[in-house]
Amino acid sequence: MKKKKQSPSGKVLRITQFGNPILRKKQKKIPAAMLRTRTFTALVRKMFSTMHAANGVGLAAPQVGRDMSFAVIEARKTKLRPDAAPLAKTVIVNPRIISHSRKMEYDWEGCLSLESVRGLVPRYKEITVECEDASGKKILRKLKGYHARVFQHEIDHLNGILYVDRMDDMRTLVTQKELEKRV
Ligand code: NI
């Protein structure tokens, strides 16, 4: 039996892998009354722990088996992204992209639900997202570059879309090990 990794801030949740139907569903909007409940706050905390333990920069509710429209995000510099600007702990609830640049750019993406592989994915360079925070406050965020990419990836999860659906050349799909050889 494999021992599950534990993080200091609590239990780690099981991450659903591609093929699981929940990853292909449009997620349910979260009613305001559910936010700020103890159950919701605890789930958010566990999702951050799970994401940290798995070395991810984002984790959407369907990836831990919850049919709910929210995701957690936090990014630091990584081996593959030594120049990435850090992105502070963020919870996005019922998010939607309300506008985006016409320009797109390609970069590598991975996903905790598609273990050990990476692919080149085109994303909008700039986006404006409308969402709520964990307390239900409406927020409007303008994002660009890597941050815009992470948000687009997570918002896609809430609409049943995986990054491989956005790739236009499946030949760029590589294992993480192979990609690390290139940097
Ligand atoms: Ni993902």
Side-chain angles (χ1 to χ4, degrees), residues 20 40 49-50 55 73 77 87 91 95 99-100 108 111 129 136 142-143 150 157 169 176 181:
N20 188 314
F40 184 75
S49 312
T50 307
N55 271 321
I73 292 169
K77 289 181 181 23
L87 191 57
V91 182
S99 68
H100 59 77
W108 296 101
C111 179
V129 174
K142 272 185 193 249
L143 302 134
V150 175
H157 270 302
D169 184 357
Q176 192 171 339
K181 283 185 198 166

Side-chain angles (χ1 to χ4, degrees), residues 2 17-18 21 23-25 35 45 47-48 58 61 70 86 93 102 107 137 139 143 147 158 165 173 178 183:
K2 249 168 99 184
Q17 291 299 305
F18 75 101
L23 293 173
R24 292 313 198 168
K25 283 188 61 187
L35 303 167
R45 199 180 326 119
M47 282 179 58
F48 273 114
F70 85 97
V93 176
R102 211 180 292 175
D107 208 344
K137 206 176 94 194
I139 38 177
L143 302 134
H147 295 178
L158 304 176
D165 306 340
L173 199 67
E178 280 300 320
V183 293

Side-chain angles (χ1 to χ4, degrees), residues 73-115:
I73 292 169
E74 185 181 12
R76 285 151 294 177
K77 289 181 181 23
T78 63
K79 197 172 166 190
L80 289 174
R81 282 182 202 281
D83 310 318
L87 191 57
K89 259 186 165 185
T90 306
V91 182
I92 52 172
V93 176
N94 303 324
R96 136 186 122 79
I97 295 170
I98 55 166
S99 68
H100 59 77
S101 60
R102 211 180 292 175
K103 263 200 174 157
M104 300 186 93
E105 59 189 355
Y106 285 83
D107 208 344
W108 296 101
E109 274 183 42
C111 179
L112 297 177
S113 294
L114 289 119
E115 275 178 358

Side-chain angles (χ1 to χ4, degrees), residues 27-74:
Q27 301 298 303
K28 285 197 188 104
K29 269 194 93 174
I30 303 181
M34 192 186 283
L35 303 167
R36 284 198 258 188
T37 61
R38 228 187 287 173
T39 319
F40 184 75
T41 313
L43 178 58
V44 167
R45 199 180 326 119
K46 278 185 194 167
M47 282 179 58
F48 273 114
S49 312
T50 307
M51 183 182 81
H52 291 152
N55 271 321
V57 295
L59 186 67
Q63 293 185 277
V64 291
R66 308 302 201 278
D67 181 1
M68 298 162 84
S69 182
F70 85 97
V72 299
I73 292 169
E74 185 181 12

